[in-house]
Amino acid sequence: MNRTNRLTVATALLLGMLLWPLGGVSQSIKSARAQYDSGDFVTAAATGEKLGTFEGYLIAAASLTIHGHYFTDGEQRQQILLNAMELARKAVELQPDNPEAHMYLVRAMGRYSQSIPPSKALSEGYGESVKETLETVLQLDPDSWEAQLGLGSWHAEIISKGGFLGKLAFGASETKAREHFMKAAELAPASVITYLEFARGLHALNAKKYREQVIRNLNNALKLPAGDAYERVLQEDARRFLDTL
């Protein structure tokens, strides 16, 4: 083999060594997404976390948030959601100006705060933290429908669980809740979770007053095509909710 051929082979080997890890990461991301889309949330979380990348942490955080909230209970749910929060924080550390990272964090925080007694959630500062993080998302992305939806749910939940004192202490408002929900629906008219959370929020504010709107929003959620396993979970949730009304 002449010197030119040896250099060509050596260059090819070097490029292969440099590019292989990137290809491996790309394949793992695809695997994590496929696992998430199919509903294998535990495996998707493990695959994403193992990557140690921004996108990997997001997939892992999202997967654990869904798995913890919908498929576990008690202390197991709380621990899984705490893990989801930690993974989302790692994504925030990697890209602090990325609104998506903050949104994944607030989802985990919100679900965790729902898994513990309201008094504990408020005493541990989750009322303020969730709202501040959602406002951060809107600062980074003024058109974030998810942040609008989250703020609608925040106002509704504070009022539902804290009553007059909740309104007084946190500035929660029924009017603001409705405004945020309607803005989210305007920005994302084809989102299953928007209609489901809109329905839940109105029901929490005043089940009797908003009954017709709650039913209409749940029916809207059920009419949409489910894009992945998570949306199928959401629609099943909407179906069960509708059956109770």
Side-chain angles (χ1 to χ4, degrees), residues 83-166:
N83 291 343
M85 287 165 53
E86 183 59 31
L87 291 165
R89 287 193 178 98
K90 288 182 178 181
V92 171
E93 288 172 6
L94 289 175
Q95 293 191 25
D97 294 328
N98 189 309
E100 194 175 15
H102 293 277
M103 198 64 233
Y104 278 62
L105 174 58
V106 82
R107 287 179 197 159
M109 283 197 297
R111 293 308 191 190
Y112 174 73
S113 68
Q114 291 173 347
S115 75
I116 58 179
S119 57
K120 183 179 181 183
L122 294 176
S123 69
E124 292 184 359
Y126 283 99
E128 297 94 335
S129 295
V130 167
K131 186 170 186 284
E132 287 171 2
T133 307
L134 287 166
E135 288 172 344
T136 296
V137 175
L138 282 180
Q139 288 171 7
L140 295 169
D141 179 10
D143 293 324
S144 173
W145 65 268
E146 291 177 288
Q148 294 288 353
L149 184 63
L151 283 167
S153 296
W154 181 87
H155 281 277
E157 196 156 336
I158 290 292
I159 292 170
S160 173
K161 294 181 178 178
F164 176 75
L165 291 178

Side-chain angles (χ1 to χ4, degrees), residues 223-244:
K223 288 175 186 176
L224 292 169
D228 55 30
Y230 179 42
E231 291 197 335
R232 290 192 289 275
V233 169
L234 293 173
Q235 288 185 326
E236 188 57 37
D237 206 8
R239 193 170 288 106
R240 284 195 297 267
F241 189 8
L242 192 59
D243 288 343
T244 67

Side-chain angles (χ1 to χ4, degrees), residues 146-221:
E146 291 177 288
Q148 294 288 353
L149 184 63
L151 283 167
S153 296
W154 181 87
H155 281 277
E157 196 156 336
I158 290 292
I159 292 170
S160 173
K161 294 181 178 178
F164 176 75
L165 291 178
K167 289 183 183 181
L168 203 62
F170 295 97
S173 157
E174 181 175 333
T175 299
K176 288 180 181 178
R178 287 177 50 80
E179 287 174 352
H180 285 299
F181 282 133
M182 287 188 287
K183 184 64 174 178
E186 177 188 327
L187 291 169
S191 165
V192 174
I193 194 171
T194 296
Y195 293 112
L196 174 57
E197 292 302 320
F198 197 165
R200 288 199 178 283
L202 292 177
H203 189 268
L205 287 169
N206 191 320
K208 184 176 180 180
K209 177 180 177 181
Y210 294 118
R211 187 174 187 277
E212 289 186 8
Q213 291 182 52
V214 169
I215 292 172
R216 183 163 62 249
N217 276 291
L218 291 173
N219 282 323
N220 285 339

Side-chain angles (χ1 to χ4, degrees), residues 4-25:
T4 301
N5 286 340
R6 285 198 300 270
L7 286 174
T8 302
V9 172
T11 301
L13 287 171
L14 179 59
L15 285 172
M17 290 171 66
L18 291 172
L19 294 176
W20 181 85
L22 296 179
V25 168

